[in-house]
Structure formats: structure tokens, C-alpha cells
């Protein structure tokens, strides 16, 4: 199921609220807030309730989900080669392209911050942990977003260079604004390499 991220909910999330895993045991409000206008179709937990006093956001619990990190690790542990992860890479590329085309920057993209909603074979991805996210149309911000994921991805999951390449290829093919973003990603990589040579 595709969940609509409401403008209002996004504002709250961008306001620095924290996810308290607060749904355990009780559901504070039965419905998500009324939509004030959609920012776009990005799969993310529904926001049920925001408590301004305690600074808590009550989010939908994605029941029986696994993180993309654990999923990739278990696929690799089973001895499957990287090619079995290519459909997931394509889905990830599409999701990030959609998010960036809405000018939403996640700010902390890692494979722990993306969940797979069961059944796993559907590759139904859900983005979480928007605490560092912000709205920007700048290719630089999108390029850095992808760079953060690339660093996290390749250091967490060994031998996945082709998987990440597929992700980027799909991102470039899906996003309407990918040209300058991929160029910026190259620049940011170069800066990162220079920094690590100096440091
Ligand atoms: N809405 C959710 N539904 C199910 N599991 C979640 C949800 N939000 C977070 N989690 C789980 O909790 C972990 C940590 O949550 P996260 O929001 O990324 O906080 P942080 O990284 O700041 O500790 C995630 O990696 C995921 O396993
Ligand atoms: Mg997290």
C-alpha cells in the first residue's frame, strides 16, 4: 500500500520530532491527521499524533518489517550472489528518485532507515527516521543525500558495488531532475576522496 505523506505531517517530522516507538501497547489516535495537501507519494509510516508537550511523534508501527540492512545481510548469508539483490536496488533507486523529485532530502539515508514491509518478496519499501530531513530543490543537497547512502551502503554490505550501481542507474532513469544531481554526486565523491587523502 502506498502511504501519502501529508504536508502537515511532513512539517511535524521536519520540526525535529523523535520516534519513540510509542505505539507499543496503545494507539493514541485512530487516524492520521487530515491532509492539508500532499507533498508527494512517498512510502513512510503514517503519523497518528504529535505531542508538542513531550515532543513525541506517534507513528504507524510497520508490523513484522525488516530493515533493508538485515534483508541484504540475510540474502548474502544464504550464499546468494549480488545479482539476486538487483530488483531491490531498482526499487530503492525508484523510491529515492520519487522522493528527490518532490524536493525532499532525507538527510540520513542508510539501509537501517529503510524498511521492507511484509511479504518481503513484494519489495515494498518504507522510509523512516526523517529527523534530519529537509526540503530543498538543490542538486547539491540531493547529491550529498545519495553520497551518504553510498558510503553507508558500501561500508555495511561487502561486494555490493554492482548493486549500488544499479540503484544509481535506476535513480537516473526515473528522476526527472537526475542530470545535475548525478554530476553533483561525482563532485562530492571527489571532494570526499581529496579530504581522505589530506586527512
Ligand atoms: N515505524 C516503524 N515501524 C517499525 N519499525 C520501526 C519504525 N520506526 C523505527 N523502527 C525500527 O527502529 C529502528 C530505529 O528507528 P529510527 O527511527 O531509525 O531511529 P534511530 O536511528 O534514530 O535510532 C529502525 O531501524 C527500525 O528497525
Ligand atoms: Mg535510524
Amino acid at each position: 500500500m502506498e502511504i501519502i505523506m501529508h504536508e502537515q505531517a511532513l512539517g511535524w517530522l521536519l520540526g525535529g520530532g523523535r520516534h519513540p516507538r510509542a505505539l507499543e501497547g496503545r494507539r493514541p489516535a485512530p487516524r492520521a491527521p487530515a491532509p492539508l495537501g500532499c507533498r508527494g507519494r512517498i512510502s513512510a509510516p503514517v503519523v497518528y499524533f504529535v505531542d508538542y508537550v513531550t515532543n513525541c511523534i506517534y507513528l504507524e508501527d510497520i508490523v513484522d518489517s525488516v530493515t533493508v540492512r538485515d534483508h541484504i545481510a540475510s540474502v548474502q548469508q544464504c550464499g546468494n550472489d549480488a545479482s539476486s539483490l538487483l530488483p531491490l536496488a531498482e526499487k530503492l533507486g525508484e523510491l529515492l528518485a520519487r522522493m528527490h523529485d518532490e524536493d525532499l532530502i532525507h538527510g540520513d539515508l542508510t539501509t537501517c532507515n529503510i524498511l521492507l514491509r511484509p511479504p518481503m518478496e513484494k519489495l515494498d519499501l518504507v522510509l523512516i527516521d526523517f529527523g534530519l530531513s529537509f526540503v530543498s530543490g538543490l542538486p547539491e543537497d540531493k547529491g550529498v543525500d545519495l553520497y551518504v547512502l553510498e558510503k553507508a551502503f558500501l561500508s555495511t554490505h561487502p561486494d555490493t558495488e554492482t548493486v549500488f550501481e544499479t540503484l544509481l542507474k535506476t535513480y537516473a532513469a526515473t528522476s526527472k531532475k537526475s542530470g545535475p544531481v548525478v554530476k553533483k554526486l561525482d563532485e562530492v565523491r571527489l571532494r570526499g576522496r581529496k579530504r581522505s587523502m589530506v586527512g
Side-chain angles (χ1 to χ4, degrees), residues 100-118:
H100 280 177
D101 279 1
E102 296 294 337
D103 290 342
L104 177 60
I105 313 298
H106 185 278
D108 189 17
L109 283 175
T110 64
T111 50
C112 284
N113 284 338
I114 310 171
L115 304 180
L116 277 161
R117 192 196 296 268

Side-chain angles (χ1 to χ4, degrees), residues 81-191:
D81 62 42
S83 65
S84 60
L85 291 168
L86 297 184
L88 172 66
E90 286 170 7
K91 285 276 192 176
L92 285 165
E94 283 167 14
L95 173 68
L96 299 181
R98 242 179 8 247
M99 183 182 78
H100 280 177
D101 279 1
E102 296 294 337
D103 290 342
L104 177 60
I105 313 298
H106 185 278
D108 189 17
L109 283 175
T110 64
T111 50
C112 284
N113 284 338
I114 310 171
L115 304 180
L116 277 161
R117 192 196 296 268
M120 298 307 144
E121 56 279 8
K122 276 183 80 182
L123 299 178
D124 186 3
L125 299 168
V126 181
L127 277 168
I128 59 164
D129 205 354
F130 283 88
L132 295 175
S133 63
F134 57 100
V135 173
S136 166
L138 294 179
E140 165 94 18
D141 290 327
K142 296 174 187 177
V144 170
D145 220 20
L146 294 177
Y147 182 67
V148 167
L149 178 63
E150 181 175 59
K151 284 289 223 187
F153 201 103
L154 299 179
S155 64
T156 311
H157 307 292
D159 305 320
T160 51
E161 284 76 10
T162 54
V163 179
F164 198 80
E165 261 166 42
T166 301
L167 184 160
L168 280 184
K169 220 179 277 171
T170 311
Y171 175 93
T174 310
S175 164
K176 293 178 204 90
K177 313 170 186 172
S178 66
V181 177
V182 173
K183 219 174 121 202
K184 280 290 173 189
L185 172 62
D186 283 336
E187 280 177 38
V188 177
R189 278 175 179 152
L190 207 63
R191 256 185 264 157

Side-chain angles (χ1 to χ4, degrees), residues 51-99:
D51 188 336
Y52 287 106
V53 178
T54 56
N55 274 336
C56 280
I57 297 177
Y58 293 74
L59 297 171
E60 175 193 13
D61 192 0
I62 311 295
V63 179
D64 294 333
S65 57
V66 295
T67 63
V68 166
R69 179 194 178 126
D70 289 347
H71 178 73
I72 294 177
S74 75
V75 167
Q76 289 189 320
Q77 236 163 34
C78 292
N80 293 314
D81 62 42
S83 65
S84 60
L85 291 168
L86 297 184
L88 172 66
E90 286 170 7
K91 285 276 192 176
L92 285 165
E94 283 167 14
L95 173 68
L96 299 181
R98 242 179 8 247
M99 183 182 78

